[in-house]
Amino acid sequence: MNTKGKCIYPWFILPSAIIVIIYLIPICNIFYSAFTKSVGSEKVFVGFDNFTRVAPELPKLIWKTLIWTMGSIIPATVLGLTAALLFQKDTAGKKLMITACILPYTIPLVIVATAWTLMYQPNFGLLNIAMVKLGIIEKPISFLSYDNAMGSVIVARIWRAMPFAFISYYAAIRSIPAELYEAAEVDGAKPVHKLLYVTLPQLVSITSTTLIILTVWTFLVFDIIFTMTGGGPADATNIIAVQIYKKSIYMNDSGGAAVLSLVAIIILFFITLLYWRLFNKGGETE
């Protein structure tokens, strides 16, 4: 209350309310577009026509998107945690190795995709040349063929996403109180026990946050796949984000793109709820 008896608390939430409104405007526009169709310069209400038209595409799109997302974020998270644990103690060359781990995160996605595309080339790609000379393979592999394309783009995404997980876990591990480790040593805990009963339980919250952020980012990543494969060959890597772009730009189908956007929002909403339920249970036991 101020001196005149008027409540000033509503003014404190005004910035947050403005931010929420700014985010809600595009979402409302997506809902509107999902039930309309462009006819010339006008929007015509078509009910659920856009939904029924897009429905046959959804099972395959959702399945490939989930493979792309989970196949990328789970290895990236595990690798990030492993790297953070390895750098938990001060060692020679630690700063240089940490810089090397973070470096991929500083490179734009289009450049990452271009670099990996060049490395995957059958005739002059670094990976094929190295594996042939080492005797691992007899002839070059077509990494971006129908059978290998999804795995290849996932590897590129893991390389780009791992630094974020590493940064998150490294900061969290460094903030764990040293008294917890000292108490564990007094009780005779070995390194593996300290990892299982001290370090990992302290990382439950950051794991939840990291998985949510990486899931949302990866689910909606467009640059890597579009630059490397364009969603092909034969839709082998055609995920929801790529299909939204194709419908919006190439097919001039804003209604279908809006429906796919709503599907993406709904899926991410439920995945986020799942993460919160799983990790909040663990957090309550800390």
Side-chain angles (χ1 to χ4, degrees), residues 16-280:
S16 299
I18 293 174
I19 293 173
V20 170
I21 291 172
I22 291 173
Y23 276 98
L24 282 177
I25 291 173
I27 294 176
C28 292
N29 186 59
I30 290 172
F31 272 95
Y32 174 72
S33 298
F35 294 95
T36 60
K37 180 180 180 180
S38 297
V39 178
S41 59
E42 297 181 356
K43 290 277 190 177
V44 178
F45 180 77
V46 294
F48 288 93
D49 286 356
N50 291 326
F51 291 83
T52 55
R53 184 164 46 82
V54 171
E57 307 175 29
L58 289 179
K60 191 174 181 180
L61 279 174
I62 292 173
W63 175 244
K64 289 188 179 298
T65 305
L66 290 176
I67 291 175
W68 153 257
T69 303
M70 298 305 167
S72 299
I73 65 167
I74 294 175
T77 303
V78 172
L79 289 172
L81 173 59
T82 303
L85 291 172
L86 290 175
F87 295 134
Q88 188 174 7
K89 294 183 178 180
D90 294 330
T91 57
K94 177 180 175 180
K95 292 183 179 180
L96 181 61
M97 290 185 287
I98 289 177
T99 302
C101 285
I102 297 176
L103 186 61
Y105 197 64
T106 66
I107 305 174
L109 289 172
V110 174
I111 297 177
V112 170
T114 303
W116 277 94
T117 301
L118 293 174
M119 287 196 294
Y120 282 146
Q121 290 300 313
N123 298 324
F124 58 85
L126 178 62
L127 289 177
N128 273 309
I129 292 174
M131 288 192 293
V132 169
K133 288 190 175 182
L134 292 173
I136 298 175
I137 56 176
E138 295 182 359
K139 59 181 181 179
I141 298 174
S142 181
F143 285 103
L144 298 179
S145 64
Y146 180 84
D147 293 330
N148 301 323
M150 181 60 80
S152 298
V153 295
I154 284 175
V155 169
R157 176 57 183 162
I158 292 172
W159 185 81
R160 179 57 163 71
M162 188 278 283
F164 177 80
F166 166 71
I167 294 169
S168 301
Y169 280 121
Y170 182 75
I173 289 173
R174 298 288 289 184
S175 66
I176 297 176
E179 292 81 4
L180 296 178
Y181 292 106
E182 293 171 359
E185 290 177 358
V186 171
D187 292 337
K190 296 180 179 179
V192 67
H193 296 139
K194 288 191 285 185
L195 172 64
L196 294 176
Y197 300 110
V198 178
T199 304
L200 294 182
Q202 296 294 318
L203 299 179
V204 171
S205 296
I206 196 64
T207 298
S208 174
T209 304
T210 301
L211 284 175
I212 290 172
I213 294 174
L214 283 180
T215 297
V216 173
W217 283 352
T218 304
F219 196 96
L220 301 176
V221 158
F222 159 83
D223 316 58
I224 290 179
I225 288 183
F226 192 79
T227 303
M228 294 181 69
T229 66
D235 290 339
T237 58
N238 198 36
I239 62 172
I240 290 178
V242 173
Q243 189 66 4
I244 290 173
Y245 179 82
K246 289 180 178 179
K247 284 187 176 295
S248 299
I249 305 301
Y250 296 153
M251 305 177 190
N252 195 27
D253 183 8
S254 59
V259 171
L260 291 178
S261 299
L262 289 180
V263 171
I265 291 171
I266 293 169
I267 293 174
L268 289 173
F269 174 76
F270 282 107
I271 290 177
T272 302
L273 284 182
L274 177 63
Y275 284 150
W276 279 117
R277 286 184 64 87
L278 288 175
F279 290 97
N280 279 351

